[in-house]
Amino acid sequence: MNTHLNLSQLGWRAFFQQQVTLDELETTLIARVIAYHRDHFIVQAENGCHTVQHHPTQSPLTVGDWLLLKQHEQHWLYYRLLERLTVITRKGAGSKLAQQLIAANIDTLFIVSSHNKDFNLSRFERYLALAHQSGCAPVVVLTKRDQCEQPEQYLAKLAELDRHLIVLSVNALDSLSIEELRPWCNSGQTVAFVGSSGVGKSSLVNGLSELPVATTARIREDDSKGRHTTTYRALHVLESGALLLDTPGVRELQLADCQHGVELTFSEINELAEQCRFANCGHQQEPGCNVQQALQHGTLTQRRLDNYHKLLKEQQHNSRSLAQLRSHDRNRGKFYRGVQKQMRDLKGR
């Protein structure tokens, strides 16, 4: 990361400026999280980069966050987290009941797939729901165009999801092809890449950066999948002045607290549902179901309706599970505090 960047070049804007008091402007240091490691964060401020330790009791942080720091002797300490303009989250992988922060204050989310076996419409719908919920602008990038004989068929399939969706078809190893991404990479803009391992995210990062900032690995020929190469999240500054976030491949993306994002992704189904005879129509076999009529007329596919139901059910289940976990943690905390108070009272007698 270039150590000579002003706040505007780091993505600072009025939204964040309005959150800082005059006193804080004089007594704290404004910095942005540019890298996340297991036990610490790296932040960038106008006076350079700093390592910041973070205690589990403090607000969870992620790459892209804006912080206020206070100096103590020779170290800068975490003071306050600023409200996020956008935030990308997911339910923790596997059976873990936790909400995982992926990135914050991202302007454009590049959803990367390839013109091969990795292409999956239902997975695209997941990523689009994630982008819509976060507030990021989604742009789909299809890689490995040079290895596909008929790339137009993939573009046509994506157009069926959303005719307004921006889709780019590129060869990540061709610098001229990568230029198609430049309009979203202006100075002070922050972009992120999501997608499965091996689809070419690291190659795109290196192509846009014009420096080998991310490692790459050869793709496996037996299943067209790639090896996991990015191991931590970090921001890189492009020559254009944009800030680019490279993330580890997302093998499992479970949605939580994402109902608004799902509804926006499947907006045509929600519009159809408004004309159903019953307000609580489940769009199965109910009489007067406008969604089922669209299926019969061929204006809606069964795959898309099934995935709509699947994602809604999944996010509702995960949201309830997370809410129950938070309630359990609050009740357990109250119990522990009550026991501690009783112990203090007994000692005081």
Side-chain angles (χ1 to χ4, degrees):
M1 174 72 75
N2 184 352
T3 58
H4 301 288
L5 293 174
N6 59 42
L7 292 181
S8 178
Q9 291 171 320
L10 285 170
W12 187 256
R13 57 189 63 183
F15 175 81
F16 307 112
Q17 183 74 34
Q18 294 169 357
Q19 301 179 46
V20 185
T21 67
L22 291 176
D23 180 66
E24 287 174 332
L25 287 174
E26 296 178 355
T27 60
T28 63
L29 178 69
I30 299 171
R32 192 173 191 189
V33 177
I34 61 170
Y36 163 74
H37 300 274
R38 291 187 182 275
D39 58 350
H40 66 277
F41 291 86
I42 305 297
V43 301
Q44 172 83 48
E46 289 186 319
N47 66 353
C49 292
H50 306 280
T51 298
V52 176
Q53 302 297 327
H54 185 256
H55 195 273
T57 59
Q58 297 170 329
S59 300
L61 303 180
T62 189
V63 175
D65 271 332
W66 282 99
L67 310 178
L68 298 182
L69 308 176
K70 280 200 171 184
Q71 192 169 22
H72 177 70
E73 296 178 350
Q74 301 299 319
H75 303 285
W76 287 99
L77 304 180
Y78 169 90
Y79 175 68
R80 185 162 74 86
L81 168 68
L82 298 186
E83 180 184 348
R84 299 167 176 127
L85 181 61
T86 65
V87 59
I88 303 173
T89 66
R90 68 170 182 179
K91 177 188 169 294
S95 59
K96 185 177 180 181
L97 281 179
Q99 192 170 48
Q100 180 184 7
L101 292 168
I102 298 178
N105 302 314
I106 303 298
D107 298 304
T108 302
L109 186 68
F110 289 117
I111 302 171
V112 186
S113 181
S114 57
H115 295 82
N116 61 21
K117 297 177 183 178
D118 179 74
F119 186 93
N120 184 294
L121 289 177
S122 295
R123 187 187 301 132
F124 278 116
E125 288 165 344
R126 278 183 178 272
Y127 282 121
L128 288 171
L130 182 76
H132 290 314
Q133 184 70 31
S134 71
C136 303
V139 174
V140 172
V141 182
L142 297 181
T143 61
K144 308 183 192 298
R145 181 185 177 94
D146 56 311
Q147 302 176 23
C148 180
E149 294 182 357
Q150 295 181 319
E152 293 77 14
Q153 63 178 323
Y154 295 97
L155 302 180
K157 291 179 180 179
L158 286 169
E160 294 176 0
L161 300 184
D162 183 350
R163 58 191 178 90
H164 299 296
L165 181 63
I166 299 174
V167 183
L168 307 177
S169 178
V170 304
N171 173 8
L173 301 178
D174 182 352
S175 58
L176 292 178
S177 182
I178 293 178
E179 287 297 314
E180 293 190 44
L181 280 66
R182 296 289 182 187
W184 293 272
C185 300
N186 297 316
S187 178
Q189 294 291 304
T190 306
V191 300
F193 288 78
V194 293
S196 303
S197 298
V199 297
K201 297 194 309 298
S202 294
S203 296
L204 288 172
V205 170
N206 290 336
L208 287 170
S209 304
E210 300 180 1
L211 290 172
V213 295
T215 57
T216 59
R218 293 177 61 85
I219 195 168
R220 298 198 301 258
E221 295 182 359
D222 58 340
D223 59 3
S224 298
K225 295 183 180 295
R227 297 175 178 85
H228 186 67
T229 54
T230 304
T231 57
Y232 69 97
R233 297 187 292 276
L235 283 174
H236 308 288
V237 179
L238 308 181
E239 285 197 359
S240 65
L243 296 109
L244 184 149
L245 174 69
D246 191 21
T247 65
V250 180
R251 289 187 174 89
E252 182 180 2
L253 177 64
Q254 293 193 40
L255 304 180
D257 293 329
C258 198
Q259 181 171 344
H260 180 64
V262 173
E263 291 176 348
L264 286 177
T265 301
F266 297 88
S267 59
E268 84 283 12
I269 296 180
N270 287 294
E271 291 174 1
L272 289 168
E274 292 177 356
Q275 304 301 319
C276 289
R277 180 182 301 176
F278 303 106
N280 62 344
C281 182
H283 317 307
Q284 300 296 332
Q285 301 298 327
E286 295 89 342
C289 176
N290 201 37
V291 174
Q292 286 296 321
Q293 291 180 14
L295 282 176
Q296 296 171 8
H297 296 155
T299 56
L300 177 67
T301 66
Q302 187 66 53
R303 181 211 64 79
R304 186 155 169 84
L305 179 60
D306 289 344
N307 202 39
Y308 168 73
H309 285 304
K310 177 182 178 181
L311 295 184
L312 269 185
K313 183 178 180 180
E314 177 184 305
Q315 76 86 27
Q316 289 168 357
H317 170 75
N318 289 337
S319 297
R320 284 196 300 268
S321 298
L322 290 171
Q324 291 169 359
L325 176 65
R326 287 191 287 266
S327 177
H328 174 72
D329 288 343
R330 285 194 298 269
N331 292 334
R332 183 172 58 181
K334 291 179 181 178
F335 172 76
Y336 287 154
R337 288 191 294 273
V339 171
Q340 291 171 350
K341 183 178 184 301
Q342 291 176 6
M343 295 292 289
R344 290 193 299 270
D345 293 342
L346 289 173
K347 288 180 179 180
R349 290 180 179 177

